[in-house]
Amino acid sequence: FILERTIEDTIQTVDVSRESIITWFKKFRKVCEEVISRRGKMVGTDASPIQIDVVKFTGNNFVFVANDQNHGSQVDGPWVFGLKKSSDCRYFHVDKLDRSTLIPIIQRECEIGSTIHSNECPPYENLDEIGYRHFTSNNQLYCVDPVTGAHTQSIERSWLKDEIKLLEKKRGVPKENLQSHLDYICWWRFVFLGIRFRWKFRIGSSIDFSIVV
């Protein structure tokens, strides 16, 4: 699981049934979910802002969302809403891209007063009004806003890297399992890309794991 092998490769390595491997991988992803659920809120500063963005999964590819398309509508997807600061990524599978869906996620994950960078998606328009320092970039004109320096390049690069994890190494995932795979990716970034922590957990009645990074 940690080596990110496919189910087929794992079956050949450990010589157990496909059903058993799938069950254990689900348990491991559940552990990842529990670990990342213990993170505190993100705190964005001018020097290290939180970047937010949405991406659409279509067939076998990621398609980035234009600023003015499909917001607030029920669309084919799935859609993923992401927040990123350094190695701390938080991805959420959402069915809609409207304010009532995205703003509660931002409020739950980001401390009031944080600096947030985004594109000019309509659902983000009131972030300043609810206590955040919000700066936008028109991605159709600039990669980086020439006045404020706002951009979403870091999270967009993360989308591209995580596309490889989900669509090549995992060979795609069923929609109903998508959130657990997103949680695993967030856990992987949280653990291996710079955040130190100690966490111990038990699976079943006889296996103990201790992770120290």
Side-chain angles (χ1 to χ4, degrees):
F1 179 79
I2 298 297
L3 296 176
E4 299 185 327
R5 293 185 176 180
T6 64
I7 290 175
E8 288 72 20
D9 289 342
T10 306
I11 291 171
Q12 295 179 8
T13 301
V14 300
D15 193 26
V16 298
S17 70
R18 180 182 180 86
E19 291 75 18
S20 295
I21 296 298
I22 291 173
T23 297
W24 277 101
F25 275 24
K26 286 182 177 179
K27 288 182 178 181
F28 291 145
R29 291 198 302 272
K30 183 66 176 177
V31 169
C32 295
E33 176 189 345
E34 293 178 5
V35 171
I36 63 175
S37 70
R38 299 188 179 199
R39 294 175 297 185
K41 288 188 174 183
M42 306 173 89
V43 179
T45 65
D46 289 345
S48 182
I50 300 165
Q51 295 184 6
I52 61 177
D53 195 20
V54 288
V55 69
K56 182 182 179 182
F57 290 30
T58 303
N60 292 324
N61 298 289
F62 282 106
V63 177
F64 287 103
V65 183
N67 290 340
D68 58 353
Q69 295 179 352
N70 297 313
H71 295 289
S73 60
Q74 184 74 34
V75 293
D76 296 344
W79 295 92
V80 176
F81 175 61
L83 308 93
K84 185 177 190 300
K85 180 190 174 187
S86 299
S87 60
D88 188 354
C89 289
R90 308 186 183 194
Y91 297 157
F92 302 96
H93 173 204
V94 295
D95 292 320
K96 291 185 178 182
L97 303 180
D98 57 1
R99 187 168 299 170
S100 63
T101 300
L102 302 186
I103 294 301
I105 297 175
I106 294 170
Q107 291 177 311
R108 184 183 71 226
E109 302 295 329
C110 304
E111 286 284 2
I112 292 295
S114 289
T115 300
I116 296 176
H117 288 185
S118 76
N119 57 29
E120 295 181 341
C121 291
Y124 311 145
E125 289 177 349
N126 71 331
L127 287 180
D128 284 314
E129 299 174 10
I130 60 176
Y132 297 101
R133 302 187 71 249
H134 182 216
F135 300 93
T136 64
S137 175
N138 186 330
N139 289 352
Q140 295 178 345
L141 298 178
Y142 314 106
C143 292
V144 179
D145 187 273
V147 177
T148 66
H151 66 89
T152 56
Q153 291 180 320
S154 179
I155 192 169
E156 289 175 5
R157 286 194 298 268
S158 294
W159 288 138
L160 295 176
K161 292 177 182 178
D162 296 333
E163 171 185 5
I164 296 174
K165 284 182 179 293
L166 284 176
L167 300 179
E168 292 186 7
K169 294 182 179 179
K170 302 296 184 183
R171 299 177 185 176
V173 297
K175 183 176 179 179
E176 61 271 18
N177 294 335
L178 175 58
Q179 185 60 54
S180 68
H181 285 274
L182 295 173
D183 291 339
Y184 163 71
I185 290 173
C186 295
W187 173 86
W188 189 92
R189 287 184 172 278
F190 186 66
V191 172
F192 292 108
L193 297 183
I195 305 239
R196 300 180 60 85
F197 77 106
R198 179 187 295 267
W199 204 73
K200 186 175 181 180
F201 56 91
R202 178 182 293 273
I203 296 179
S205 58
S206 60
I207 304 176
D208 277 325
F209 295 83
S210 184
I211 299 176
V212 181
V213 178

